[in-house]
Amino acid sequence: PLFVLVRIRAILMLPFTDIDFFLFALLYVVIMWVFKFLLQDEHYPLVTSVITSVYFAFYFRYSAALLGYVAGSYLFTSYLAKNANHKLWSSAILFLPMILFKLHVEMPFIYFAGLSFVSFRAVQVLLDHDYKSKISFTDYFNFLCFIPSFYIGPLDLFKRFSENSRTGFTQMNPVN
């Protein structure tokens, strides 16, 4: 029922190359507008992460690699990076899949479309993260995988993105 407007395909869908992308984008906007009137702003990050998860589950061939990277980088940034106490080495660890890809190391199970963008976003969180505060996994997931910017950017600051998502439904306005 939720997928009536789009065909379920297990292919790597690059933006602007298939009608499915535009149909899913339309569905995304409609769902967000419906929830704007049903839920409070505090639920915006959860709604966004659920829609993003559905997108990756049904429309993204390498969703396991992406979700593995997001979970691994979250655990590293939240719990291990502060013990390393060296931003350069910690950044290199988060860039490791991208480095291996650029060196043509055959490990297709860790590669996915958007790897470089997600890696840069993960490093940005690592560099700006204050270890006294805890990062929410939902906020981290949304920041790395936010569908409207997943393939084409722009890069953003984690703190600003998280603050904006706290008032997400309120900030949704029709185009002027």
Side-chain angles (χ1 to χ4, degrees), residues 13-60:
M13 187 171 63
L14 296 177
F16 319 122
T17 61
D18 196 325
I19 190 68
D20 290 350
F21 179 82
F22 293 103
L23 291 174
F24 193 88
L26 176 65
L27 184 63
Y28 182 94
V29 170
V30 168
I31 289 171
M32 293 307 286
W33 273 100
V34 167
F35 280 115
K36 174 183 178 160
F37 298 107
L38 297 177
L39 299 174
Q40 302 296 321
D41 279 335
E42 66 213 29
H43 299 293
Y44 179 87
L46 182 61
V47 171
T48 302
S49 64
V50 168
I51 294 171
T52 302
S53 298
V54 168
Y55 172 79
F56 288 128
F58 291 99
Y59 298 99
F60 194 72

Side-chain angles (χ1 to χ4, degrees), residues 3-174:
F3 308 108
V4 171
L5 296 176
V6 293
R7 292 177 289 146
I8 299 176
R9 294 177 9 171
I11 63 168
L12 175 63
M13 187 171 63
L14 296 177
F16 319 122
T17 61
D18 196 325
I19 190 68
D20 290 350
F21 179 82
F22 293 103
L23 291 174
F24 193 88
L26 176 65
L27 184 63
Y28 182 94
V29 170
V30 168
I31 289 171
M32 293 307 286
W33 273 100
V34 167
F35 280 115
K36 174 183 178 160
F37 298 107
L38 297 177
L39 299 174
Q40 302 296 321
D41 279 335
E42 66 213 29
H43 299 293
Y44 179 87
L46 182 61
V47 171
T48 302
S49 64
V50 168
I51 294 171
T52 302
S53 298
V54 168
Y55 172 79
F56 288 128
F58 291 99
Y59 298 99
F60 194 72
R61 176 182 287 167
Y62 304 105
S63 58
L66 170 67
L67 296 177
Y69 181 83
V70 171
S73 64
Y74 172 77
L75 292 171
F76 179 78
T77 300
S78 297
Y79 302 107
L80 300 176
K82 63 183 170 188
N83 296 333
N85 200 23
H86 196 284
K87 301 279 185 175
L88 179 63
W89 287 112
S90 296
S91 298
I93 289 170
L94 292 178
F95 277 132
L96 187 60
M98 191 171 63
I99 293 168
L100 293 173
F101 178 74
K102 296 297 181 185
L103 294 174
H104 304 289
V105 176
E106 289 295 322
M107 298 179 77
F109 59 90
I110 64 170
Y111 305 138
F112 54 89
L115 173 62
S116 60
F117 179 73
V118 170
S119 297
F120 278 108
R121 280 196 158 200
V123 169
Q124 189 276 319
V125 173
L126 173 81
L127 295 177
D128 291 343
H129 176 55
D130 174 16
Y131 293 112
K132 296 175 185 127
S133 62
K134 178 148 176 54
I135 298 173
S136 158
F137 181 76
T138 302
D139 288 342
Y140 187 80
F141 175 79
N142 285 339
F143 181 68
L144 266 58
C145 302
F146 189 58
I147 292 173
S149 64
F150 181 73
Y151 291 110
I152 56 175
L155 289 175
D156 196 1
L157 297 175
F158 177 71
K159 183 176 179 181
R160 180 175 48 205
F161 182 88
S162 297
E163 289 170 357
N164 286 344
S165 72
R166 299 278 175 250
T167 58
F169 289 129
T170 303
Q171 292 183 21
M172 288 175 54
N173 294 312

